[in-house]
Structures are given as structure tokens and as C-alpha cells.
Amino acid sequence: QVQLVESGGGLVQPGGSLRLSCAASGSSFTPVTMNWYRQAPGKQRGLVASMTTVGRTTYVDSVKGRFTISRDNDKNTVFLQMNSLKPEDTAVYYCNMILFVSGKHYNSWGQGTQVTVSS
């Protein structure tokens, strides 16, 4: 069993910054792709940022230049640095990892952390 535990959400004023973290724990797994998704009220969950094992990154257009995804492979942790936050960034943010376990790939999700951008 692999668990993803997120931290770092909260309330921030427009223009502020937050840093989300997500750590995977368990045994005998290898994180492959690490992703951040978000879901705003009344909307579908969508991909925000993604990072492969070799460091290739992808961002949704609305966060390019403001958000940065990074990972610490030694600690099986992924981060999302969010700068210049806007009210439209308000959502529950979910960590997602594609894990390689015993020869198979598994899709694992964190519990979600609320990010609220408001004055």
C-alpha cells in the first residue's frame, strides 16, 4: 500500500504564494510521473502540472509562468510552488502519482488540500 500525504494549502491574498507538498510512503514502489490536479466548485478536476522521472514538465496554460512543479526523488516527494495567485486558482488541489509496483503501474491520489485565494 502506498499513501500520498499532502500539505501546504490554506488561505492567501491575491498576489501571494503558497507551496504544496506531497510525500509518498509505503514499500517497494517507484514514482514515475508526478502530477498536481485541481478541482474548483462545480467544475471537473483538471491537470495543473506534471513532471516525469527525467524532469520534463507540463503546465496548463493558466498557470504557466506562475506555478513551478518540482520533485525530490530521494524522498518520493513532489512540490508545487504557486506564485502570483489569483482568485480563480481557488480549488482543492490533489497530488497524483503514477507508481511502478511489482512490474505494474498504479494510479495513486492524495486526499486533497484546499487553496483559497481571497482578499
Side-chain angles (χ1 to χ4, degrees), residues 2-7 20-26 29 31 34 36 72 75-79 95 97 108 110-111:
V2 179
Q3 286 189 325
L4 304 185
V5 178
E6 304 175 22
S7 60
L20 305 182
S21 300
C22 174
S25 62
F29 69 93
M34 293 183 172
W36 287 97
D72 184 335
K75 296 182 179 180
N76 294 321
T77 300
V78 61
F79 306 95
C95 169
M97 294 188 188
S108 185
Q111 80 282 3

Side-chain angles (χ1 to χ4, degrees), residues 18-61:
L18 282 175
R19 188 185 193 221
L20 305 182
S21 300
C22 174
S25 62
S27 61
S28 303
F29 69 93
T30 302
V32 180
T33 303
M34 293 183 172
N35 310 303
W36 287 97
Y37 286 74
R38 67 185 179 187
Q39 186 169 17
K43 295 187 177 181
Q44 289 189 334
R45 189 177 300 186
L47 181 66
V48 176
S50 179
M51 191 170 195
T52 67
T53 305
V54 296
R56 183 165 59 189
T57 58
T58 304
Y59 297 94
V60 66
D61 286 346

